[in-house]
Amino acid sequence: FGNNTFVVAGDNGTIVKSTDNGSSFDNATSPTSNNLYGVGFGNNTFVVAGDNGTIAKSTDNGSSFDSATTPTSNTLFGVGFGNDTFVAAGTSGNIVESNDNGATWDNATSPTANHLRGIVFGNNTFVAVGDSGNIVRSDNGSSFDNVTSPVTTHLIGVGFGNSTFVAVGDNGTIVRSTNDGSSFDNVTSATAKNLYGVGFGNNAFVAVGDNGTIVRSTTDNGTNWDNATSPTTNNLY
């Protein structure tokens, strides 16, 4: 979300956008037929990333996207933005960064060969999470270090709010950090279902996953979680 515009990307290079608070969506011009998994926004620029290292950017409020030159052929799953830097993370621990609004990209130094599934920026820190409980962090987006993780289950989604990082993953795993991503603790989860995504807004963290599972934490920055009533049994990502 940015500039009062929602952008959603998915299979076969599909990109759609909404400028009416999500009431209706229109197709955006996409330069790729590769599957897209991550969307980021910053400096009036949308960046999407996906299969085979695909990266595309839009500077016209998400109406049309142009391909960017990518330094990798690895799949990229997540895109984050902070401190005038876009960072994308993906398979085999690959992390790439752009300091010119997504026009050109370079490989960042990564400490892991595990797949990284999600990335977020907060407290002047990039945090990425992935397979086998892997958590990495960076103050600049150029060089990442491993963080001691309290879990070995796959972590798939990561969010930030109220000075707190929350990551979610397989078997209902939830971990959190309140100290700029330097260390994480296990949190008691409300579900044993796989969780794939987590977001923050209005002082609440909400995570989603298998069989329509929705869990939320509303009072204590991701410490205690409850099941929310879900209208679907389809997997939510």
Side-chain angles (χ1 to χ4, degrees):
F1 179 79
N3 282 358
N4 295 314
T5 300
F6 287 99
V7 168
V8 182
D11 285 353
N12 304 314
T14 300
I15 307 173
V16 297
K17 73 176 189 106
S18 172
T19 56
D20 59 4
N21 241 14
S23 295
S24 62
F25 282 78
D26 298 308
N27 281 308
T29 302
S30 175
T32 182
S33 60
N34 286 328
N35 297 336
L36 299 169
Y37 304 112
V39 181
F41 177 82
N43 281 355
N44 297 312
T45 303
F46 285 98
V47 169
V48 297
D51 278 345
N52 303 319
T54 298
I55 303 172
K57 74 184 189 77
S58 171
T59 55
D60 60 4
N61 222 30
S63 294
S64 62
F65 284 75
D66 299 308
S67 290
T69 301
T70 177
T72 182
S73 59
N74 286 328
T75 294
L76 299 169
F77 291 118
V79 181
F81 177 85
N83 286 349
D84 292 322
T85 302
F86 281 100
V87 179
T91 58
S92 302
N94 203 190
I95 305 172
V96 297
E97 61 153 347
S98 171
N99 297 304
D100 57 7
N101 286 352
T104 60
W105 294 76
D106 298 302
N107 281 306
T109 302
S110 174
T112 182
N114 285 326
H115 296 344
L116 296 172
R117 307 285 182 175
I119 187 167
V120 73
F121 180 85
N123 276 3
N124 292 309
T125 305
F126 288 97
V127 170
V129 302
D131 288 1
S132 302
N134 214 174
I135 304 172
V136 300
R137 69 180 295 278
S138 172
D139 296 327
N140 55 25
S142 297
S143 179
F144 283 74
D145 297 308
N146 275 311
V147 175
T148 300
S149 175
V151 297
T152 57
T153 49
H154 295 341
L155 296 171
I156 302 171
V158 60
F160 176 83
N162 273 4
S163 299
T164 303
F165 291 96
V166 171
V168 300
D170 285 356
N171 306 321
T173 298
I174 304 175
V175 298
R176 69 190 281 269
S177 171
T178 56
N179 60 0
D180 73 8
S182 297
S183 64
F184 280 76
D185 296 310
N186 250 321
V187 174
T188 300
S189 179
T191 182
K193 300 286 189 181
N194 296 336
L195 297 171
Y196 301 117
V198 59
F200 179 87
N202 284 352
N203 292 315
F205 283 98
V206 174
V208 300
D210 278 346
N211 305 125
T213 297
I214 304 172
V215 296
R216 68 185 192 131
S217 174
T218 59
T219 59
D220 49 17
N221 284 2
T223 300
N224 292 293
W225 293 76
D226 299 305
N227 280 294
T229 302
S230 177
T232 183
T233 56
N234 290 322
N235 294 349
L236 299 171
Y237 296 107

